[in-house]
Amino acid sequence: MQRRIDVTLPEQTIRLLDRVSEKGGRSKLIDKAVRLYIKKIGRASLRRRLQEGYLRTAESDLRVLEEWFLIRDK
């Protein structure tokens, strides 16, 4: 299903869009660009959240690892 929306863009962006899209292909190009942008942002956000989680639990993870090595080496 497709829906029509009104989007306001700067004139310079419209000229660029017209230069790189096929005639009548603005919507398709904008759709691809938005999806690619959201995918990229989603990956960056996921990486950031994973890194924050790793940093948040790093100290306790190291303690558990140290305890495991102590138990294993006995």
Side-chain angles (χ1 to χ4, degrees), residues 3-72:
R3 289 183 49 200
R4 179 178 292 273
I5 62 170
D6 290 324
V7 177
T8 304
L9 298 170
E11 186 64 36
Q12 184 178 6
T13 303
I14 294 171
R15 283 194 301 270
L16 179 61
L17 185 59
D18 287 342
R19 192 170 53 196
V20 299
S21 67
E22 296 178 12
K23 185 169 177 79
R26 281 182 183 172
S27 293
K28 188 175 181 179
L29 180 62
I30 291 170
D31 179 50
K32 279 182 156 182
V34 168
R35 289 174 184 272
L36 181 64
Y37 176 78
I38 290 172
K39 188 176 181 180
K40 179 181 175 184
I41 294 300
R43 285 183 180 156
S45 174
L46 177 59
R47 271 191 217 102
R48 188 188 76 251
R49 286 183 290 157
L50 286 171
Q51 184 179 24
E52 289 170 356
Y54 293 145
L55 292 174
R56 200 171 35 252
T57 62
E59 197 172 308
S60 68
D61 291 348
L62 284 173
R63 275 186 265 128
V64 168
L65 187 61
E66 288 169 355
E67 289 174 15
W68 185 82
F69 278 113
L70 288 174
I71 294 170
R72 191 188 75 153

